[in-house]
Amino acid sequence: MDIQHLTLDERHVAKHLPHTVESERLLRKEGMIHVFYDRATMLMVAETIKQHGEYLGEVRGHVRWGYHFANSIGYRLDAMGHQFPLYYGEMKISGGKYHVIPRTKPSQ
């Protein structure tokens, strides 16, 4: 699969950025969220995965690629306000579009 020419799926961006209506809703619903520090970090993660990412296969119906970063790319935030730094970025691909997610480790 050529991941160089995929299009960013904007529908999923806001839920992975801090202080958006979508991420706040997800925090209330699930009790925690995984967010990038900002949109620029999210786009850098996507480009790095496109250039150097590892193919993870198909997990739960989506093709996935990932990359472990030396520096934190975002954080997990829980309902109590505790933050945990995240170093793994994952690209989830469906229908020629992708979105990226900061994670603790690759999906299994």
Side-chain angles (χ1 to χ4, degrees):
M1 168 179 274
D2 178 18
I3 63 172
Q4 297 299 322
H5 298 95
L6 296 172
T7 304
L8 177 62
D9 190 345
E10 292 286 345
R11 295 177 304 156
H12 298 285
V13 170
K15 66 184 174 185
H16 296 297
L17 295 176
H19 313 296
T20 64
V21 171
E22 293 83 353
S23 66
E24 296 294 329
R25 182 181 307 128
L26 195 58
L27 179 59
R28 284 190 305 276
K29 179 181 176 188
E30 298 191 10
M32 75 172 172
I33 54 174
H34 292 174
V35 293
F36 292 102
Y37 290 117
D38 52 35
R39 187 179 177 95
T41 302
M42 180 195 70
L43 294 173
M44 177 278 298
V45 166
E47 286 306 310
T48 301
I49 293 172
K50 285 180 178 182
Q51 297 297 320
H52 306 289
E54 173 187 13
Y55 177 68
L56 303 174
E58 188 170 321
V59 180
R60 292 187 302 278
H62 292 88
V63 172
R64 296 172 191 248
W65 289 71
Y67 188 82
H68 188 271
F69 291 82
N71 297 312
S72 173
I73 58 171
Y75 55 93
R76 180 176 65 202
L77 176 67
D78 68 22
M80 300 298 292
H82 300 113
Q83 291 185 13
F84 178 80
L86 299 173
Y87 295 86
Y88 195 81
E90 188 170 282
M91 179 179 283
K92 189 172 172 181
I93 302 167
S94 180
K97 293 187 176 188
Y98 74 90
H99 71 280
V100 287
I101 307 162
R103 298 182 49 86
T104 56
K105 62 183 180 179
S107 291
Q108 297 179 349

